[in-house]
Amino acid sequence: MFFLKVSSYCSCLFVIFSSLVFLLSCFLLLYSFSFPLSTFFSITPYPEYMAYQGQYPVISISLKSMKQASYTDAFYMYKNLIAKEYEKHKIILESNKILQSEKEIFRNIMEQKADQNVYLNSIRTLSDVLAKYYEKNVIILIDEYDVPLENAYHEGFYDDMTNLIRSCFESALKTNPSLEFAVLTGCLRVSRESIFTGLNNLKTYSITKNKFSQYFGFTQEEMKEILQAFSLEQYAGTIAKWYDGYRFGLTEIYNPWSVLNCIDSYLQNDMVACEPYWSNTSSNRIVKRLIEESNERTKSMVEELINGTPIHTQIFEDVTYGTIDVNQDYIWSFLLFTGYLKIISCETIGDETYYDMVIPNVEIKSIYKNTIRSWFIDHINRDSRTNILESVIHADAEKLEDLLCTWLTNTISCFDEQENYYHGFVTGLVSGFNGYMVVSNRESGNGRFDLVVKQRSRWHHAAILEFKVVEKYNQMTKACEDALKQIEEKDYEASLRDEQYENIAKLGICFCQKRCRVKSGGVDHFEY
């Protein structure tokens, strides 16, 4: 694969998708394949590359499972994965080339009996004995190196994890005579992360670079071949809308994980094939943090993104989890490097470069919107909102308008689906009260009302809410009047009268971006 174009000296390549490491380890392993190499690779016609296959001992470690809630548990997981890697190479215990003292250390690590400090040097120790056994230097593959750092940052033990990773990696990657070369993958580039301060021979390939860009996922040509192979060409447009749009250098890339899951769903004739599969594989904590801790400027930029407008900002490639709180603008760099944004253009002004970025596809937009929805529900649940219910039941237009405008101002809005957004927004605010129920889009009289709030076990109070959305502020008052007129003309009160509700409030509500206008149609009183 791509790294074979690199000279055999101690260098570390930085890439994004972990599938690359799997393919590398398959290609480099000394063990014989029981299946044709062409199953995984299309490089067999290239003898200059094939000369490397099976020629080096390989240490392949993935840190993606180090997501524990405490440093103690995370270190236990590290010991476990190191022990498993040692067990793969236990054949060396039968060799006379390895000293008894080295074998003893090897066994203790493999059986997880070694002292804690021994594990800090465990990768270097393994590389030394492998190099001695095979009489060839070792290739080290470390997948998702920054997963434990991200997790530790969110869980509150970032400094301890940084010290652990630094100790383990420095001994293995710096001045290691047993090392041929190493490949690291992660979302953040490695050059400025504090764990790599001692390494001066890094070669990084980030999301903005062209070299190797076609290897980070499925290209358009590969997608065409895949869909033809499964006779799913008719779904090409839908799949592209959901999973295309990632950009590495100048190359457009599909998300391979989501594409494969989607194709499998199509082949299984599932009712819904296109879903946000990636949201189930990522913690999405960085988006959650963005939503929860954003200031007014950041909220506005998120709204622009969701509504399809590019944001214009700088990118800081050396950002780390330890520096995320230093500058509010660092968050956009994190979102880019973790796949939640893509670059569509850039311009250099003086000595600074600014990038225009958008949300890559429908799958990622759904993650933003679901995170915003969860944040909104959480905030609703923390607020009593009794004043909202009172203003609805009594048709107090002035009070309700003020309350809705306040919530709109403090909430990140999704205007790409305006009708649905505002409907869900109000539904959330008037739901969850003891003794009351909310009914949406039901037939009544000569049409369907937007929303009804009514008492559940008593029949004193009910309210009808009809919504309108306009593009200009000067249209709002008339739209409210039209909504009230619609309630009367279509007799939306009919079903509530059938249920013998005594007091029925009527409200016409109009939205325009972050503004709201409410008009009251009064409260109709009935005796039965």
Side-chain angles (χ1 to χ4, degrees), residues 199-404:
L199 298 179
N200 55 13
N201 55 350
L202 297 168
K203 184 65 175 177
T204 65
Y205 295 96
S206 71
I207 197 170
T208 61
K209 307 301 181 184
N210 281 321
K211 196 170 186 179
F212 307 130
S213 61
Q214 68 270 34
Y215 300 117
F216 290 96
F218 295 142
T219 64
Q220 188 64 51
E221 293 75 18
E222 290 168 336
M223 275 303 305
K224 185 177 180 180
E225 292 182 25
I226 292 170
L227 294 177
Q228 287 177 346
F230 292 101
S231 300
L232 296 173
E233 298 96 321
Q234 67 270 33
Y235 301 113
T238 303
I239 292 175
K241 182 179 178 181
W242 271 82
Y243 309 119
D244 190 12
Y246 297 99
R247 189 167 180 173
F248 292 83
L250 299 176
T251 306
E252 285 282 337
I253 291 294
Y254 285 74
N255 180 340
W257 169 258
S258 297
V259 165
L260 293 177
N261 277 279
C262 179
I263 288 175
D264 182 61
S265 292
Y266 275 125
L267 295 176
Q268 299 299 325
N269 293 316
D270 290 344
M271 186 177 297
V272 178
C274 290
E275 298 180 27
Y277 297 103
W278 192 47
S279 66
N280 297 324
T281 66
S282 173
S283 67
N284 302 321
R285 284 181 170 184
I286 197 68
V287 176
K288 187 171 184 288
R289 181 186 179 89
L290 170 70
I291 303 304
E292 292 181 345
E293 301 182 12
S294 58
N295 55 29
E296 290 303 316
R297 175 172 172 268
T298 304
K299 286 180 182 178
S300 177
M301 293 175 75
V302 173
E303 288 175 351
E304 289 178 6
L305 284 169
I306 293 175
N307 299 325
T309 303
I311 62 169
H312 189 71
T313 187
Q314 288 181 281
I315 293 301
F316 304 91
E317 291 208 19
D318 293 330
V319 68
T320 70
Y321 292 106
T323 61
I324 189 173
D325 295 316
V326 173
N327 186 336
Q328 183 75 25
D329 287 336
Y330 284 172
I331 192 73
W332 308 114
S333 300
F334 272 87
L335 292 172
L336 173 66
F337 298 139
T338 50
Y340 294 99
L341 291 175
K342 78 166 182 177
I343 296 170
I344 58 172
S345 64
C346 65
E347 65 172 340
T348 300
I349 304 175
D351 60 349
E352 296 181 335
T353 301
Y354 291 83
Y355 296 84
D356 288 324
M357 296 187 292
V358 297
I359 296 174
N361 50 45
V362 173
E363 179 179 40
I364 298 302
K365 180 182 280 190
S366 72
I367 294 175
Y368 279 96
K369 294 172 75 170
N370 289 336
T371 304
I372 292 170
R373 189 175 295 113
S374 297
W375 174 88
F376 180 61
I377 292 172
D378 181 57
H379 277 62
I380 283 176
N381 291 337
R382 284 192 246 156
D383 194 298
S384 64
R385 293 171 290 120
T386 54
N387 47 6
I388 292 179
L389 178 63
E390 291 172 357
S391 62
V392 167
I393 293 303
H394 299 295
D396 188 337
E398 183 178 353
K399 183 177 180 181
L400 181 60
E401 180 178 307
D402 182 61
L403 292 169
L404 292 179

Side-chain angles (χ1 to χ4, degrees), residues 98-108:
I98 310 302
L99 299 175
Q100 286 301 318
S101 58
E102 293 173 323
K103 291 180 180 180
E104 183 178 353
I105 295 173
F106 190 102
R107 287 194 185 92
N108 285 337

